[in-house]
Structure formats: structure tokens, C-alpha cells
Amino acid sequence: MLKIREAIVVEGRYDKNTLSQLVDAVIVETGGFQIFRRQDQLHMLRMLAQRRGLIVLTDSDGAGFVIRNFLKGAIDPALVKHAYIPDLYGKEKRKKAPGKEGKLGVEGMSPAVLEQALRRAGATIVGEDVPPVPRTEITKAQLYRDGLTGGKNSSSRRRALEQRLGLPEHLSTNSLLQVLNALVDQDEYRELVEQIDAEA
């Protein structure tokens, strides 16, 4: 079991149950869209963010991104890390039918996928604390230069990049940039762009 310093925010109780089998951490449910109405809950999340740091781990569907974006605007971004699960299609065992977009949520992810998402987000795993290696960050200018933003085929190129990294399709450009800088260095980024160019 991974002991994680940050508190982790998920959407519902089934997500919490799944995650609690993998991590020893404070796990808080938003209750779906209830987070928009519950100032007491938002206050608690802000306090947890200040004292421990926060990791947002929502589903990769539209609703999950609405909650994630709300929290981005409501809590100091310097205190929040974002963990993303990939777009995997199917339905959770307890459900009769898949969700609206047909994607598995946090509760439907395997422990290995969840661990990878948390590690990619930069979760502080107690006992594995190592100082970060300084590196040159990927910039918006690079994304533009490489045809991943602002161009004719940029959305399809961006989607190809997201699929290679196992990322969901609803990422904004800013979120994609944040995730890229958490996952890959300049050389790995260059290699990914070259692969996309070769397939075009």
C-alpha cells in the first residue's frame, strides 16, 4: 500500500473505495456536483491543500473535468496536483450500463493504472522522497511550433499525443502542458512529436 502525503479528491464513494485499497491517504469525496453548493466542503479542501497538498483525481469524462476545473479556480493552484486516468471504454461491474460517454471512471481502473496516474501527478509517496531533477520545461511556444495548438490539424495531433501518453481527451492546452512537464523531458517530447509527424 502506498502512503501518500497529499489528500486526494475523488468524485464519489465508489471511487474512494477503489482508491482506498491502493493508498494510505486522506481521500475526500466531492459528492459529484455537490461541491458547487457546499462551501464547508470547499473550505475543508482549501485547508487540506494548505497543510498537506491536494491531488485531484476525477473521472476522464466531461463531468469529471467540470469538477476538476471548478477546483482549479477555487483552490490555490500552487497547492494542487492533477492526476489523470486514461480514456478506457467499458462499464463498471456494479452498473447495468456504461456511463454517458462510455468511459470507465476512477472506480473502474486497475490498481496499476491508478498508481501510475498518482505517480505521474507527482504524488509524495512516503519513503520514496527524492529531490527533483532540474530540467527545461516544455513551453506553449513549442506546442505551437510543433502543430499541437493554433493550427489546422492541431486538435488531431494533440489527440494523437494524448493517446500515446494514455491521457484523456478533455485536456485543455494549459492542462496538457502541465501534464507533459510532469511526465516527459525535452528528449522524450521530441521523440513523441517525431512519431506523430511520421504517421501524418
Side-chain angles (χ1 to χ4, degrees):
M1 186 163 280
L2 300 173
K3 186 171 177 60
I4 294 179
R5 182 181 186 280
E6 294 89 354
I8 304 172
V9 182
V10 296
E11 292 178 56
R13 72 173 185 261
Y14 293 105
D15 300 331
K16 183 176 180 177
N17 289 346
T18 298
L19 197 57
S20 63
Q21 295 170 38
L22 172 70
V23 301
D24 176 6
V26 175
I27 304 171
V28 182
E29 306 164 39
T30 66
F33 290 154
Q34 288 180 34
I35 188 68
F36 302 135
R37 297 185 298 277
R38 298 213 29 219
Q39 288 302 309
D40 57 336
Q41 188 181 43
L42 189 56
H43 176 70
M44 177 188 70
L45 290 176
R46 286 181 178 135
M47 285 195 325
L48 284 167
Q50 288 174 345
R51 292 183 185 168
R52 303 179 71 107
L54 212 59
I55 298 174
V56 177
L57 177 62
T58 58
D59 294 351
S60 63
D61 61 5
F65 273 84
V66 168
I67 294 167
R68 182 184 296 279
N69 290 331
F70 171 75
L71 293 174
K72 276 184 182 177
I75 301 171
D76 180 355
L79 305 174
V80 181
K81 297 174 181 177
H82 290 274
Y84 296 94
I85 57 172
D87 285 337
L88 297 177
Y89 292 85
K91 73 169 192 65
E92 285 83 3
K93 291 177 187 174
R94 71 177 177 86
K95 294 182 179 177
K96 292 180 182 174
K100 186 176 172 184
E101 294 181 33
K103 298 176 183 176
L104 290 171
V106 170
E107 75 169 280
M109 294 293 131
S110 70
V113 169
L114 291 173
E115 180 178 346
Q116 182 181 40
L118 292 167
R119 286 183 182 278
R120 284 177 162 184
T124 307
I125 300 169
V126 177
E128 294 184 13
D129 308 62
V130 290
V133 178
R135 61 185 190 171
T136 308
E137 295 220 329
I138 299 158
T139 65
K140 274 189 181 177
Q142 283 177 273
L143 295 183
Y144 179 77
R145 182 195 68 214
D146 294 326
L148 294 163
T149 64
K152 186 174 161 188
N153 298 320
S154 59
S155 62
S156 61
R157 288 176 61 79
R158 203 165 45 249
R159 186 66 194 128
L161 177 68
E162 291 164 347
Q163 286 174 335
R164 277 190 154 54
L165 292 170
L167 298 172
E169 64 184 327
H170 292 285
L171 290 175
S172 67
T173 303
N174 286 339
S175 294
L176 175 61
L177 194 59
Q178 180 185 29
V179 173
L180 279 174
N181 280 307
L183 295 182
V184 299
D185 61 23
Q186 287 283 351
D187 292 337
E188 292 166 320
Y189 169 74
R190 253 318 357 109
E191 193 176 311
L192 287 164
V193 170
E194 286 168 10
Q195 289 170 8
I196 292 167
D197 289 341
E199 290 179 1

